[in-house]
């Protein structure tokens, strides 16, 4: 007689898979609820009176109002909120231009030009990523104060034009190193110098990396609070992040409704900028190499 191995019914394996799938989906929904709760709370709070925001357990208002958004048109302390948006736009776009120009030039030098001490300098630049921002805060402030540049945008933008953002230099260097070397050699045979190769060949091929850097730079500059807080003194030069802080002192009462409404409006430029270039962001972060 031959021994037979008992087999489990197919229904039990199918049941385990269904149970595992159900548990996984429930866990995903729970995480999604935790992540979306603050967003829903902020949206609901923007349609509540200020007195009902703090201490209220109601997530969405039963009787939504638009007074918080209408109040933005009156401005803050006789300053239009569009002034804050213009200042933030100036700061963000100026930062994007500075990062793209300076970091791409620096990355080209590290990636395409052989010079003495290149690896040492590149390592030192990467090492600056380990340096806390607060270590340089006081020396930089003293330097700009002696140069009488406080209450201007120069301290906020100068570093962007000097390739001080090592992360973006590193990102572009890694992208440029993956470009086919045959393109550079063919350009040199045709008589192109480094500037022509950089402008006509390297930059067009590095568009995903450039747009990735632009997105991160725009978001960081738009949301920056520490830099404008330290270097800007006049309310007329405040950015959006500092403008929202002024709601706290208005009429000696915190206007939470206006603050939350302005924070929602302030998200729109960042959201639109991200949606316009998100596919390039994915390409820039996912591209590992190009074939010649």
């Amino acid at each position: 007689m031959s021994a037979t191995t008992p087999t489990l019914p197919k229904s039990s394996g199918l049941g385990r898979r269904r149970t595992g799938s159900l548990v996984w989906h429930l866990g995903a929904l729970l995480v999604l609820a935790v992540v979306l709760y603050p967003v829903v709370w902020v949206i609901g709070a923007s349609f509540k009176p200020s007195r009902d925001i703090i201490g209220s357990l109601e997530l969405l208002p039963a009787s939504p109002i638009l007074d918080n958004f209408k109040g933005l048109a009156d401005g803050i302390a006789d300053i239009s909120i569009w002034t804050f948006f213009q200042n933030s736009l100036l700061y963000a776009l100026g930062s994007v231009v500075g990062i793209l120009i300076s970091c791409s030039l620096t990355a080209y030098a590290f990636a395409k030009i052989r010079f003495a001490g290149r690896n040492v300098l590149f390592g030192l630049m990467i090492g600056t990523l380990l340096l806390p921002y607060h270590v340089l805060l006081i020396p930089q402030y003293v330097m700009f104060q002696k140069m009488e540049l406080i209450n201007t945008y120069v301290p906020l933008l100068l570093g962007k034009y000097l390739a001080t953002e090592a992360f973006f230099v590193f990102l572009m260097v890694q992208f440029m190193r993956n470009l086919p070397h045959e393109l550079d050699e063919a350009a040199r045979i045709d008589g192109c110098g480094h500037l022509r190769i950089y402008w006509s060949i390297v930059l067009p091929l590095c568009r995903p990396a450039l747009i990735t850097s632009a997105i991160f730079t725009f978001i960081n500059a738009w949301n920056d609070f520490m830099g404008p807080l330290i270097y800007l003194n006049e309310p007329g030069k405040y950015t959006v992040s500092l403008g929202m802080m002024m709601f706290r002192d208005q009429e000696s009462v915190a206007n939470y409704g206006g603050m939350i409404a302005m924070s929602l409006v302030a998200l729109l430029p960042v959201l639109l900028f991200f949606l316009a270039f998100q596919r390039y962001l994915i390409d820039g972060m996912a591209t590992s190499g190009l074939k010649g």
Side-chain angles (χ1 to χ4, degrees):
M1 297 178 64
S2 58
T4 58
T5 303
T7 58
L8 295 175
K10 294 182 179 180
S11 59
S12 64
L14 182 60
R16 283 198 299 269
R17 287 195 296 271
R18 287 180 176 177
T19 302
S21 177
L22 179 61
V23 172
W24 189 90
H25 282 84
L26 289 176
L29 290 175
L30 180 61
V31 173
L32 181 63
V34 173
V35 172
L36 291 182
Y37 177 82
V39 179
V40 177
W41 186 91
V42 169
I43 294 175
S46 66
F47 295 98
K48 296 180 182 179
S50 295
R51 63 180 181 274
D52 296 338
I53 293 177
I54 302 301
S56 175
L57 299 178
E58 188 180 31
L59 187 61
L60 296 175
S63 301
I65 61 173
L66 296 176
D67 294 346
N68 296 327
F69 293 96
K70 292 179 180 179
L72 296 179
D74 300 331
I76 311 169
D78 297 330
I79 301 176
S80 173
I81 65 166
W82 304 117
T83 301
F84 303 133
F85 278 84
Q86 291 172 3
N87 295 337
S88 289
L89 194 62
L90 172 65
Y91 178 29
L93 293 181
S95 299
V96 169
V97 173
I99 289 295
L100 294 185
I101 294 175
S102 63
C103 291
S104 62
L105 281 170
T106 305
Y108 177 85
F110 281 125
K112 298 295 184 179
I113 302 176
R114 296 185 178 274
F115 56 90
R118 181 180 67 168
N119 294 332
V120 175
L121 291 176
F122 185 71
L124 291 175
M125 183 204 67
I126 297 300
T128 60
L129 293 172
L130 304 176
L131 195 63
Y133 170 74
H134 304 85
V135 173
L136 303 175
L137 196 58
I138 296 178
Q140 286 180 350
Y141 183 85
V142 172
M143 178 184 68
F144 288 121
Q145 186 182 39
K146 291 182 178 180
M147 297 172 63
E148 298 182 354
L149 294 175
I150 301 299
N151 201 32
T152 67
Y153 289 94
V154 175
L156 300 175
L157 294 174
L158 183 61
K160 306 293 191 297
Y161 289 83
L162 297 178
T164 58
E165 300 287 345
F167 171 77
F168 299 117
V169 177
F170 175 77
L171 176 66
M172 296 181 190
V173 166
Q174 297 304 108
F175 200 94
M176 291 180 184
R177 284 177 176 173
N178 288 325
L179 298 177
H181 295 287
E182 292 79 7
L183 296 176
D184 301 347
E185 295 173 359
R188 291 193 185 95
I189 292 175
D190 291 339
C192 295
H194 284 299
L195 286 179
R196 183 63 181 275
I197 295 173
Y198 160 80
W199 182 259
S200 300
I201 297 176
V202 174
L203 280 189
L205 293 176
C206 290
R207 185 171 60 176
L210 294 175
I211 295 180
T212 301
S213 302
I215 291 175
F216 282 117
T217 302
F218 186 90
I219 294 174
N220 292 338
W222 186 270
N223 295 328
D224 187 17
F225 178 79
M226 182 66 70
L229 178 65
I230 293 173
Y231 293 110
L232 300 179
N233 300 328
E234 297 179 11
K237 297 181 179 180
Y238 281 0
T239 59
V240 171
S241 56
L242 291 183
M244 287 190 291
M245 184 183 65
M246 295 180 64
F247 281 101
R248 184 188 59 187
D249 299 324
Q250 190 177 26
E251 298 177 357
S252 301
V253 178
N255 185 3
Y256 295 112
M259 183 187 302
I260 295 174
M262 186 172 177
S263 67
L264 281 181
V265 177
L267 287 176
L268 293 179
V270 177
L271 183 61
L272 294 176
F273 193 87
F274 176 79
L275 292 177
F277 300 106
Q278 63 173 338
R279 66 185 184 95
Y280 296 104
L281 174 65
I282 297 172
D283 291 341
M285 299 302 292
T287 301
S288 59
L290 298 174
K291 293 184 179 179

